[in-house]
Amino acid sequence: MTDAVGSIDMPDAQEQKPRKGGKRAKKGPLKRLALFYRQIVAELRKVVWPTRNQLTSYTTAVIVFVVLMIGLVTLIDYGLSNAAKYVFG
């Protein structure tokens, strides 16, 4: 059985061996750490930060949602505890 390159059973003679470590093997651990932090700073510069008004509205929405969920869980817990007291005495 053959494909466009050649036989599937016989690998290509020009197949390259993978390099050990690549470019990272040539750098020391401190240079790799410095590169890592430079990449972090570069990514943080790409971030579109929210304005103060957006941040306030998002924070308010999250706080309201959390308060509503706390109330809902409290009501369900209170109801289930009363039901358990009724059933088990």
Side-chain angles (χ1 to χ4, degrees):
M1 179 178 230
T2 61
D3 58 0
V5 177
S7 175
I8 293 176
D9 298 329
M10 297 180 59
D12 292 336
Q14 297 176 348
E15 187 175 325
Q16 296 178 352
K17 293 182 180 178
R19 292 173 32 186
K20 292 185 178 178
K23 294 180 181 178
R24 290 187 182 176
K26 296 179 183 178
K27 296 181 182 177
L30 292 178
K31 287 186 179 182
R32 288 190 310 213
L33 188 62
L35 174 65
F36 177 69
Y37 284 117
R38 281 196 306 270
Q39 289 173 344
I40 289 174
V41 170
E43 287 298 321
L44 285 175
R45 287 186 178 148
K46 295 178 187 177
V47 173
V48 178
W49 297 99
T51 64
R52 184 174 296 271
N53 290 336
Q54 289 174 333
L55 188 61
T56 304
S57 64
Y58 297 159
T59 304
T60 304
V62 168
I63 290 172
V64 168
F65 178 76
V66 168
V67 168
L68 288 174
M69 289 296 108
I70 288 171
L72 180 65
V73 169
T74 302
L75 286 174
I76 291 171
D77 183 50
Y78 179 74
L80 290 175
S81 66
N82 282 340
K85 285 179 188 176
Y86 178 75
V87 171
F88 298 111

